[in-house]
Amino acid sequence: MLGLMQEWPLLLHRIIDHASRQFGEREVVTRSIEGPIVRTNYRQIRTRSLQLAKRLTRDGIKLGDRVATMAWNTGRHLETWYGISGIGAIYHTVNPRLHPEQIAWIINHAEDRIVFADLTFVPLLEAIAGHLKSVERFIILTDGAHLPKNNLRNCVAYEDWLAQADADFEWASFDERTAAGLCYTSGTTGNPKGVLYSHRSNTLHSMASTGGDGLRIDVTDIVLPVVPLFHANSWSLAFSAPMRGAGLVMPGPKLDGASVYELLENEKVTMTAGVPTVWLMLLDYMRKNNKRLSTVKLVAIGGAAAPLSMIREFEIDYGIDVRHAWGMTEMSPIGSTGSLKASVADLPRDEKLQLKAKQGWAQFGVEMKITDDDNKELPWDGVKFGHLKVSGFAVTSGYFRGEGGNILDADGFFDTGDVATIDPNGYMQITDRAKDVIKSGGEWISSIDLENIAVSHPDVMEAAVIGVPHPKWDERPLLIVVAQEGKTPDKQKVLDFMSGRVAKFWMPDDVQVISEIPHTATGKINKLKLREIFKDYKLPTVV
Ligand code: ADP
């Protein structure tokens, strides 16, 4: 017997409808590409999204078509998402930090018909436009006065284009499983792969991941997503802030410490989210300028491991709650967050901080397991590491156009490519990407653990550990560090600092100081590049 409750498809435009109705005046503040701070609200965002949907329809865009966005976090970018998905078309967020060739490959693979782009990316698009066969027109997210001369096909200023339609339009209605968004993973090996989100998965993921124990957001919050909309749905914030009635502050292109600090303070932000590199810059700025944050209550850190020293600084020095989050594009992206369960409430402060440095526990809607190489499940003892596999309502079941074939195991679980432990309290800890784990004498060494310890040395700003070939042990760890400004880390002192904090055989065989550690397009340490840089390097322990 079926229940007798209403069919109420979980469609993304219901979120902006709700926000407009309940929190219509709630502000969406943007540091615009043109420069000034621009203020709008959810009511206007909805009106303009409807206009956009109507105007897109006139351009022939229909259910299932892909429309690219190549843009920073701004109010305009937000309205493109709601407008595009509101007619059943698919917003395809293109990461502008990728190599131009890769960007062209992705747009061609997605067969995007229209590209919405910020002014910043006009030159980049001009360079590759000749290869973009499916793109019928480029819409630059600015007004006529700011549109530069360019040779892009059918190019128009967004405001001029939008003004050609009014908001007298009704959202399309369709199945909640209809595709809504497309985001390609950076693909360190092979071609990038498209993850295709649905209206249902995005809506459920936004509700599930922003509850009190997740990226906690409520009606009193003002949220600043430093994490870009092109990075795995900005961790749901473009949906969950309007859904929960929180204000939004969009930082546009300026993500340096001073600019982010200025917005956090001036706009009275209470919750913010981003990758560790961004927080390194912010903390550095605050330390040097003797600044504090007066309204921020919660910082979500994810995308790469949040070092214990960073968590400690936010929590102890600045009194700001840290939510360490783990996830991936394939998971919409939040997989786990690390609030403190009742079972650990009585631990001493230091142990609580250490627990927060783990990647947290899976919220409702995500199931996790760790397995050995034969897909046999490993115990949750906090010691055994294994392949981390997941299943859930917002986890991918396959890549766009079937790239990569069947990606689920016999039980329907997706292999994240991460290696992790899970402790008896359910706290998962990533020890490595499977491809980055260091295999030494048949044992595994976690590069992330070593990096976290190294980075807590006062002279070290950033640290990366890679495995380097060794004739006897197979691989040994090499520690690569960037110095804190004005400091010169001494190899031996750094090693002495680490010894006793890790098993002896985990100790790096050498330390190299470099001026900058390369990062990927999603802000992670680029180990592939580091391995390339150090490919001719010989460990001093090899005689
Ligand atoms: P890509 O895989 O394309 O680089 P993603 O943003 O999807 O981009 O990256 C997901 C990966 O990032 C995870 O599989 C994991 O290795 C890493 N990651 C994400 N969050 C964390 C975290 N809190 N701690 C450690 N690693 C993390």
Side-chain angles (χ1 to χ4, degrees):
M1 189 186 291
L2 293 179
L4 286 173
M5 308 316 282
Q6 297 182 4
E7 283 292 325
W8 198 86
L10 302 174
L11 301 176
L12 293 177
H13 50 255
R14 290 190 190 269
I15 297 174
I16 201 68
D17 285 351
H18 171 71
S20 166
R21 225 169 8 239
Q22 292 289 345
F23 330 104
E25 302 299 313
R26 200 70 163 127
E27 270 195 333
V28 176
V29 180
T30 297
R31 186 194 293 282
S32 66
I33 318 302
E34 295 86 350
I37 301 286
V38 176
R39 291 170 193 278
T40 177
N41 60 35
Y42 286 132
R43 183 165 302 123
Q44 288 171 26
I45 296 262
R46 174 176 180 271
T47 304
R48 285 164 58 90
S49 315
L50 280 164
Q51 240 176 301
L52 190 138
K54 186 168 182 175
R55 185 65 190 81
L56 275 178
T57 309
R58 202 176 295 163
D59 269 352
I61 301 298
K62 52 184 193 324
L63 191 89
D65 285 345
R66 273 80 62 203
V67 175
T69 66
M70 212 162 134
W72 303 110
N73 290 6
T74 65
R76 283 180 177 138
H77 194 177
L78 191 67
E79 59 206 29
T80 67
W81 279 27
Y82 284 105
I84 295 166
S85 59
I87 54 172
I90 300 165
Y91 65 86
H92 168 207
T93 47
V94 179
N95 184 342
R97 295 181 183 136
L98 294 174
H99 191 273
E101 255 174 46
Q102 219 172 14
I103 293 177
W105 189 94
I106 286 174
I107 292 179
N108 285 331
H109 190 264
E111 294 186 17
D112 295 322
R113 290 185 59 190
I114 287 183
V115 176
F116 286 98
D118 272 337
L119 279 168
T120 327
F121 309 118
V122 170
L124 193 162
L125 285 170
E126 282 187 296
I128 58 172
H131 303 285
L132 307 180
K133 304 291 178 225
S134 60
V135 178
E136 295 157 30
R137 84 175 323 167
F138 293 85
I139 301 173
I140 308 305
L141 293 161
T142 189
D143 53 23
H146 288 90
L147 184 71
K149 266 206 160 27
N150 67 77
N151 56 20
L152 294 170
R153 211 171 303 143
N154 287 324
C155 183
V156 63
Y158 176 68
E159 295 296 341
D160 294 347
W161 174 85
L162 194 64
Q164 292 164 6
D166 58 32
D168 182 16
F169 187 74
E170 273 189 29
W171 301 120
S173 74
F174 38 80
D175 192 299
E176 64 180 14
R177 291 165 302 174
T178 302
L182 177 64
C183 180
Y184 283 74
T185 63
S186 13
T188 33
T189 53
N191 284 326
K193 295 183 183 66
V195 179
L196 193 59
Y197 308 110
S198 69
H199 284 258
R200 173 188 154 83
S201 68
N202 274 350
T203 309
L204 287 176
H205 172 267
S206 300
M207 289 200 280
S209 60
T210 53
D213 293 310
L215 307 183
R216 193 182 66 213
I217 296 176
D218 72 29
V219 74
T220 64
D221 278 311
I222 297 181
V223 175
L224 189 153
V226 184
V227 53
L229 271 78
F230 55 76
H231 190 181
N233 281 324
S234 65
W235 305 353
S236 89
L237 298 174
F239 305 122
S240 37
M243 179 188 278
R244 295 193 183 272
L248 264 177
V249 179
M250 301 298 235
K254 291 196 172 163
L255 304 179
D256 59 285
S259 305
V260 170
Y261 177 82
E262 185 190 82
L263 275 186
L264 290 172
E265 272 304 282
N266 291 356
E267 298 301 331
K268 301 190 169 46
V269 170
T270 57
M271 189 274 181
T272 181
V275 294
T277 349
V278 164
W279 305 132
L280 275 181
M281 292 191 290
L282 177 74
L283 289 170
D284 189 49
Y285 171 81
M286 284 171 36
R287 239 181 272 122
K288 283 190 185 132
N289 296 281
N290 205 13
K291 302 271 191 201
R292 295 188 72 80
L293 288 164
S294 54
T295 51
V296 175
K297 291 182 292 190
L298 186 81
V299 174
I301 310 180
L308 181 59
S309 51
M310 180 179 286
I311 299 176
R312 191 186 296 276
E313 193 167 352
F314 272 123
E315 295 227 337
I316 309 294
D317 299 354
Y318 295 108
I320 297 170
D321 204 6
V322 167
R323 232 3 96 69
H324 190 183
W326 165 86
M328 60 197 313
T329 307
E330 287 88 336
M331 299 182 73
S332 299
I334 306 292
S336 62
T337 47
S339 78
L340 297 177
K341 293 184 182 179
S343 52
V344 297
D346 296 332
L347 289 177
R349 187 181 82 174
D350 263 13
E351 282 178 46
K352 280 188 190 159
L353 284 177
Q354 278 176 22
L355 206 53
K356 285 199 160 183
K358 292 192 174 190
Q359 277 71 11
W361 46 278
Q363 303 271 323
F364 176 72
V366 176
E367 286 181 77
M368 280 184 182
K369 63 179 178 182
I370 42 172
T371 70
D372 65 14
D373 288 341
D374 303 320
N375 199 23
K376 206 168 104 307
E377 261 197 84
L378 296 171
W380 290 20
D381 61 6
V383 179
K384 296 229 166 43
F385 341 153
H387 303 284
L388 178 61
K389 298 185 179 174
V390 292
S391 135
F393 55 58
V395 177
T396 187
S397 62
Y399 292 107
F400 187 48
R401 297 190 195 285
E403 290 289 329
N406 175 25
I407 54 168
L408 305 184
D409 73 9
D411 306 317
F413 277 66
F414 167 75
D415 189 339
T416 63
D418 285 334
V419 174
T421 61
I422 304 180
D423 73 18
N425 281 310
Y427 287 78
M428 182 273 288
Q429 181 164 28
I430 301 283
T431 46
D432 246 314
R433 289 294 285 170
K435 56 185 185 296
D436 294 334
V437 79
I438 297 156
K439 295 183 173 134
S440 176
E443 298 285 346
W444 286 8
I445 299 175
S446 158
S447 64
I448 294 184
D449 272 6
L450 293 175
E451 288 158 8
N452 280 344
I453 296 168
V455 89
S456 60
H457 187 283
D459 295 350
V460 175
M461 162 98 164
E462 204 179 3
V465 174
I466 55 171
V468 176
H470 189 285
K472 179 167 175 200
W473 301 110
D474 208 11
E475 276 185 342
R476 291 294 303 152
L478 165 67
L479 169 63
I480 300 153
V481 300
V482 175
Q484 286 280 10
E485 211 180 297
K487 297 278 167 56
T488 318
D490 176 87
K491 274 186 198 187
Q492 199 48 50
K493 286 201 180 124
V494 173
L495 290 175
D496 291 347
F497 173 84
M498 296 178 75
S499 98
R501 291 180 158 95
V502 293
K504 212 158 162 223
F505 82 94
W506 279 37
M507 283 294 289
D509 280 22
D510 193 17
V511 184
Q512 292 281 310
V513 183
I514 62 175
S515 57
E516 195 186 341
I517 285 179
H519 290 96
T520 67
T522 48
K524 295 175 220 297
I525 292 175
N526 190 337
K527 298 226 168 151
L528 208 67
K529 199 57 147 305
L530 275 179
R531 282 189 207 105
E532 238 170 72
I533 297 173
F534 285 92
K535 74 177 186 314
D536 297 325
Y537 162 86
K538 293 254 169 335
L539 284 167
T541 47
V542 179
V543 280

